[in-house]
Amino acid sequence: MPASESDILQGLAEILQEVAGVAPEQVTPEKNFIDDLDVDSLSMVEVVVAAEEKFEVRIPDDDVKNLRTVGDAVDYIKSAGVAA
Amino acid sequence: MIHVHQDPVVVTGVGATTPLGGDVPTTWDALLAGESGVRRLTQEWAEALPVRIAAEVAVDPAGVLERVEARTLDRSQQLALIAAREAWRDAGSPDVQPERLAVVLASGIGGVLTLLSAYDILKERGPRRVSPHTVPMLMPNGPAAAVGLELSARGGVHTPVSACASGAEAVALGLDLLRLDRADVVVVGGTEASIHALPMAGFAAMRALSTREEQPETASRPYDKARDGFVLAEGAGVLVLERAAGASARGASTYAEVAGAGITSDAFHVAAPDPVGAGAARAMQMALADADLTPADVVHINAHATSTPVGDLAESGAIRTAMGSATDRVAVSATKSQTGHLLGAAGAVEAIFTVLALHHRLAPLTRNLDDPDDDITLDVVRLEHRHLGTGAALSNSFGFGGHNVALAFRSAG
């Protein structure tokens, strides 16, 4: 069964805290990874790999550049989970 | 056009994290007290090694740095950052234009712990699990880059690599940058974090390490008849250098003058020292000439003295060649007897010890020198530290590859 939006948001918050020290309450759908959460390009790779593992999805590099906000990532993971 | 400053270069800040302490004051106090930083390794990975003693830093960087900051830094970068922050604070955080601030931060081996742990991940979990931070963490210039970022240094960031002479070479290159007007302030130093099964197995295979496991604190014993090799150590040392006029204009206090440097190479053997120490002697002579000093001005030498049978003897001969009859009036300290051998950080940490020896007019004692080797004809400070007159001091560093670096310091004003 695919993860719910709130499960995905919580999972991303855990990853962002581990990888980049972002406080979980900062992780809301409208936040931009680079501008708002100060996640650099290297740490973004870590976030993606950790999300792939956590949610059992595949996020190709070509799609990563479209994931600008937390909400973009939640939507992507949700639909990728359904597709899987 | 090349502009050469005649103005002296001075040390205005020092920082370190070593097996004797997490900062310079703690390390210096432990040094004067004759403590040893060498311990038996208790980690599981060390069990199968032929040598299981080393000198780890007294204060784990994990307790000093924020977790998120530390996780993208190799241990050698973490130690460098801790030492650099202390040195910068100690110098009074100079208000320097970023374009006029340079960094010269050396390492002997670089991010070897990251390289080896990333390789374990590659083998066990596959290439997709290798961290994107791996390369910036393992590259030898990683510590210099981390310090440059921290201090916003835009005047050039450099990493000399000359094995166990690296840290001293960083001080020498920093001196050049200030003399040649390439910067107004230069942060120099060295860092090393290579206490791991592979480097230890490699050094042990060279028969370079002491095997005195039953009494780790007595294993590093430069100049003693029973010395049998060095003890691997980790840590970092950083100094803030600037021209005397700039330091005085901003009201900074000065520890000592970096008066000169000599760099030579043996072209003799990749690892063994030239038995007569000709290159080492020439480095000392060059440093004295560069500093406009004579052997009679020298009151103290911080020797390279790693506790290897051949190396200590070669250096003893080299000191006598360079210093002549003045050798008998020089208080020689072998501080690796207490710290172990910090490889690429050794020259920087020992430059700090030499500067502090002049500043406090105290030569640290050489530990474990119970039965001095009759062939060592130096006045080595043992049993307790010794008071020094004002004057000049040398710090020697030699590295695998035949690198010889001597630094000359002069008491401040």
Side-chain angles (χ1 to χ4, degrees):
Chain A
M1 163 156 165
S4 73
E5 277 181 32
S6 68
D7 288 346
I8 295 170
L9 190 63
Q10 193 191 331
L12 284 174
E14 285 166 10
I15 291 168
L16 285 160
Q17 184 173 32
E18 165 64 25
V19 168
V22 177
E25 62 270 20
Q26 292 290 311
V27 182
T28 49
E30 77 283 4
K31 291 286 171 62
N32 184 294
F33 286 108
I34 293 165
D35 299 338
D36 299 325
L37 303 180
D38 205 23
V39 176
D40 68 16
S41 62
L42 297 184
S43 296
M44 192 63 196
V45 176
E46 280 194 288
V47 170
V48 168
V49 171
E52 286 183 328
E53 195 160 284
K54 193 183 241 339
F55 302 111
E56 297 177 333
V57 295
R58 185 95 170 90
I59 311 176
D61 286 352
D62 282 348
D63 292 343
V64 171
K65 63 179 181 293
N66 301 321
L67 307 181
R68 282 186 281 270
T69 65
V70 172
D72 293 341
V74 171
D75 293 343
Y76 187 94
I77 291 163
K78 187 158 182 274
S79 56
V82 171
Chain B
M1 178 175 158
I2 295 176
H3 182 91
V4 180
H5 282 283
Q6 300 299 323
D7 194 17
V9 169
V10 294
V11 179
T12 56
V14 289
T17 180
T18 75
L20 297 178
D23 56 21
V24 167
T26 315
T27 296
W28 179 248
D29 288 349
L31 193 70
L32 292 184
E35 290 174 18
S36 168
V38 183
R39 303 282 179 269
R40 168 79 190 229
L41 292 170
T42 52
Q43 295 91 327
E44 201 180 323
W45 58 256
E47 275 314 302
L49 292 175
V51 173
R52 289 160 295 187
I53 52 173
E56 297 172 290
V57 285
V59 176
D60 188 348
V64 181
L65 300 174
E66 294 288 327
R67 181 194 65 83
V68 172
E69 180 177 45
R71 68 186 291 283
T72 59
L73 296 172
D74 179 75
R75 189 171 172 91
S76 64
Q77 293 175 301
Q78 296 175 10
L79 299 176
L81 201 54
I82 290 167
R85 282 175 179 166
E86 183 192 3
W88 192 250
R89 263 197 322 274
D90 189 44
S93 306
D95 184 16
V96 56
Q97 249 188 292
E99 291 74 16
R100 298 292 294 169
L101 173 62
V103 172
V104 189
L105 216 139
S107 181
I109 310 186
V112 65
L113 299 182
T114 293
L115 176 64
L116 293 167
S117 65
Y119 188 53
D120 287 343
I121 289 171
L122 175 71
K123 285 182 297 180
E124 288 159 19
R125 304 182 62 198
R128 277 187 61 80
R129 290 294 177 267
V130 171
S131 163
H133 301 289
T134 303
V135 171
M137 288 170 72
L138 69 79
M139 61 194 193
N141 56 315
V147 170
L149 275 167
E150 165 83 7
L151 301 176
S152 296
R154 301 206 167 97
V157 169
H158 314 267
T159 305
V161 177
S162 49
C164 306
S166 305
E169 195 166 330
V171 179
L173 296 181
L175 174 64
D176 285 350
L177 292 177
L178 289 163
R179 285 174 167 174
L180 293 173
D181 199 38
R182 311 259 163 145
D184 292 330
V185 177
V186 184
V187 174
V188 302
T191 186
E192 203 73 68
S194 63
I195 298 178
H196 175 286
L198 186 75
M200 287 192 71
F203 284 122
M206 298 175 84
R207 306 297 185 263
L209 298 180
S210 170
T211 58
R212 197 181 270 261
E213 286 200 87
E214 64 290 352
Q215 290 172 295
E217 297 186 351
T218 70
S220 185
R221 42 196 316 115
Y223 302 134
D224 188 83
K225 272 184 187 149
R227 67 187 185 277
D228 71 331
F230 75 83
V231 174
L232 184 63
E234 63 174 1
V238 172
L239 304 90
V240 177
L241 308 185
E242 51 194 306
R243 287 182 297 275
S248 128
R250 68 181 187 88
S253 58
T254 295
Y255 286 101
E257 179 191 342
V258 189
I263 302 181
T264 66
S265 44
D266 283 347
F268 173 79
H269 184 272
V270 72
D274 171 356
V276 298
R282 262 190 317 120
M284 284 180 257
Q285 287 162 337
M286 281 173 66
L288 289 174
D290 186 35
D292 200 18
L293 291 164
T294 66
D297 298 316
V298 178
V299 295
H300 171 58
I301 295 178
N302 187 305
H304 184 61
T306 63
S307 180
T308 63
V310 182
D312 291 8
L313 189 62
E315 184 181 14
S316 168
I319 290 173
R320 195 153 276 282
T321 302
M323 300 287 295
S325 60
T327 306
D328 298 329
R329 295 188 297 276
V330 176
V332 177
S333 299
T335 49
K336 288 187 184 79
S337 62
Q338 301 186 46
T339 60
H341 191 352
L342 281 80
L343 307 184
V349 167
E350 287 156 24
I352 293 171
F353 291 163
T354 311
V355 161
L356 292 180
L358 288 175
H359 181 66
H360 296 297
R361 298 175 62 178
L362 287 174
L365 65 87
T366 300
R367 206 190 135 89
N368 301 323
L369 183 47
D370 301 329
D371 190 7
D373 184 337
D374 300 326
D375 293 331
I376 305 285
T377 58
L378 302 172
D379 181 8
V380 183
V381 181
R382 57 191 282 249
L383 305 176
E384 61 181 8
H385 55 76
R386 190 185 299 175
H387 289 275
L388 293 173
T390 54
L394 294 175
S395 179
N396 285 339
S397 298
F398 313 127
F400 287 162
H403 308 271
N404 308 298
V405 180
L407 302 171
F409 300 93
R410 193 186 272 120
S411 300

